[in-house]
Amino acid sequence: MSPSTRLRAGILGLALAVGGAVLGAAPALAAPDSTAPGTVTDTAPLPQNLWYPGTAHAEKLTYWTVGANGQPARSTGTVFLPAGQAPAGGWPVISWAHGTVGLADDCAPSVAGPAARDRDFDYLGTWLAQGYAIVASDYAGLGTEGTMPYLDGKAEAHSVVDMVKAGRSAEPTLSNTWVTIGQSQGGGAAITTARYATEFGGPALDYRGAVGTGVPAYIENIVAPAGPGVPPIGLPAGLTAYALYILAGLNAAHPEVNIPSLLNDEGKAWMAKAESECIGPFEESVRGLVLGSLFAKPLSSIPNVHGLLTEYMGIPETGYDKPFFIGQGLQDTDIIMPSTLLLGSTLARNGEPVTFKTYPTDHSGTMAASLADTVPFVRALFDGKTPAPSFGS
């Protein structure tokens, strides 16, 4: 065989060998889903001025979760470890759901800290001192692409659950056993998370229960009548700010209803401002503003508006599989107290595993006042006990 013949034969044999290997090879494994809930895309140190008291280590994460439209969305959040060595099985985890800070990216707690810094630092330091790690989502759209769908319970629940997954991915000393705790906006997020935590978390997480204080219950009933001349007078600045955040968040979650088309020019300007100012400055901006003067058409112009609002922000009344605690201040003027009392009684009547207690204090004061009850409640959850439901004072 001549050299050229041998060369041609060698090339042919190599081609047949490669071809046979390819044809006979097992199918390649699919690439991991890079947008799977809880997947961490970035980590960074957290500035120490944002560390809660008792923090030994903290970092900021960017991770994937599920947004208001059911599609992958990115969120940021933080992880805080207590001092000492993690117990066998890892640090038990509290997934903190923060209260209202605003809609602009620079309002995110991982950027600016909580809006009520002293209150929240004292409160969360108490939980770190109990030997729990804390993971804290900013919620999708706050510090990441898009606008946070303010009070969208299911979207917030995804962020809260997936922050646990993200935290465990980034920090191997975290246990899979977890509880969610929240205040105000976060109180609603925590209780809605309680309804969906097992479903959203799956078998990899061991969800035990929840605590919510200042829970915004049945806010949809208060928002639905809004329109020209309704309300006809100025509300407390906080309530006006919350209402404008709700309109901006609803518009982000449901652009098809076209909230701006229901507002006059002044209303459109105020909703745009709601997307750019954090809660402290925004409350000062809206002081004395009459919401009813901002509408060109009533919200009732939206077909089935009450159903839409209930799906968007309604706290579930059934379907809870683990114990949860709701604390309400009797002097709370931020959250309409009778609505939260109605929620508590409805949950109790429906046989849900709720412990409901009231405290002779205001919206913020309920957090500290409830600790005498919630610290042992959460300890029992982590110890595998089931606190008996109760509806008391």
Side-chain angles (χ1 to χ4, degrees):
M1 183 181 295
S2 68
S4 61
T5 302
R6 286 196 299 272
L7 179 60
R8 286 194 298 271
I11 293 173
L12 177 61
L14 179 61
L16 290 172
V18 173
V22 172
L23 291 172
L29 293 175
D33 182 0
S34 60
T35 63
T39 300
V40 177
T41 63
D42 188 45
T43 63
L46 186 71
Q48 288 203 2
N49 67 309
L50 299 181
W51 289 24
Y52 306 142
T55 297
H57 172 77
E59 57 189 321
K60 178 178 178 178
L61 309 180
T62 304
Y63 67 99
W64 284 103
T65 184
V66 178
N69 57 4
Q71 298 300 309
R74 291 201 308 162
S75 183
T76 47
T78 42
V79 179
F80 302 87
L81 300 184
Q85 186 172 355
W91 296 112
V93 177
I94 285 176
S95 191
W96 167 245
H98 68 78
T100 302
V101 295
L103 305 185
D105 288 346
D106 59 0
C107 307
S110 69
V111 175
R117 183 184 177 95
D118 291 345
R119 180 197 72 180
D120 288 8
F121 268 49
D122 288 347
Y123 182 77
L124 293 166
T126 298
W127 293 108
L128 281 168
Q130 296 296 312
Y132 306 132
I134 295 175
V135 299
S137 177
D138 290 332
Y139 309 139
L142 184 59
T144 48
E145 299 86 351
T147 298
M148 178 183 67
Y150 181 68
L151 296 190
D152 184 331
K154 287 184 181 178
E156 292 169 344
H158 278 294
S159 291
V160 169
V161 173
D162 296 336
M163 186 65 213
V164 181
K165 299 177 183 177
R168 297 191 68 237
S169 174
E171 180 47 66
T173 63
L174 298 190
S175 168
N176 71 335
T177 305
W178 70 286
V179 164
T180 182
I181 296 177
Q183 157 71 7
S184 196
Q185 176 191 0
I191 301 306
T192 302
T193 298
R195 168 61 179 81
Y196 295 103
T198 299
E199 175 187 343
F200 292 173
L205 297 183
D206 181 8
Y207 164 70
R208 296 294 179 89
V211 170
T213 53
V215 176
Y218 300 119
I219 302 300
E220 61 274 18
N221 295 343
I222 301 168
V223 173
V230 180
I233 59 173
L235 302 174
L239 299 184
T240 302
Y242 300 156
L244 286 164
Y245 284 156
I246 289 171
L247 292 177
L250 183 63
N251 188 58
H254 291 282
E256 74 280 2
V257 304
N258 194 8
I259 293 295
S261 70
L262 306 180
L263 303 176
N264 56 32
D265 289 343
E266 184 184 8
K268 293 172 186 175
W270 276 109
M271 193 176 83
K273 195 167 187 176
E275 297 177 1
S276 63
E277 287 195 1
C278 300
I279 185 62
F282 193 51
E283 282 191 10
E284 292 305 312
S285 296
V286 302
R287 197 171 301 278
L289 182 66
V290 177
L291 274 173
S293 69
L294 306 182
F295 286 88
K297 299 177 184 178
L299 281 183
S300 59
S301 302
I302 301 171
N304 188 29
V305 65
H306 194 271
L308 173 70
L309 291 172
T310 300
E311 175 65 21
Y312 176 72
M313 69 176 76
I315 307 293
E317 297 177 334
T318 59
Y320 297 84
D321 63 347
K322 298 293 172 64
F324 61 103
F325 184 105
I326 295 178
Q328 173 65 34
L330 293 173
Q331 299 169 25
D332 191 336
T333 57
D334 287 66
I335 299 299
I336 307 301
M337 185 193 67
S339 292
T340 309
L341 292 173
L342 176 60
L343 174 65
S345 63
T346 300
L347 291 165
R349 186 176 65 250
N350 291 344
E352 299 301 322
V354 61
T355 297
F356 186 96
K357 290 196 174 183
T358 59
Y359 301 90
T361 185
D362 61 9
H363 189 60
S364 289
T366 304
M367 295 173 68
S370 65
L371 284 170
D373 297 311
T374 56
V375 167
F377 183 88
V378 169
R379 176 60 63 189
L381 296 178
F382 280 124
D383 287 345
K385 300 175 183 177
T386 304
S390 67
F391 188 85
S393 62

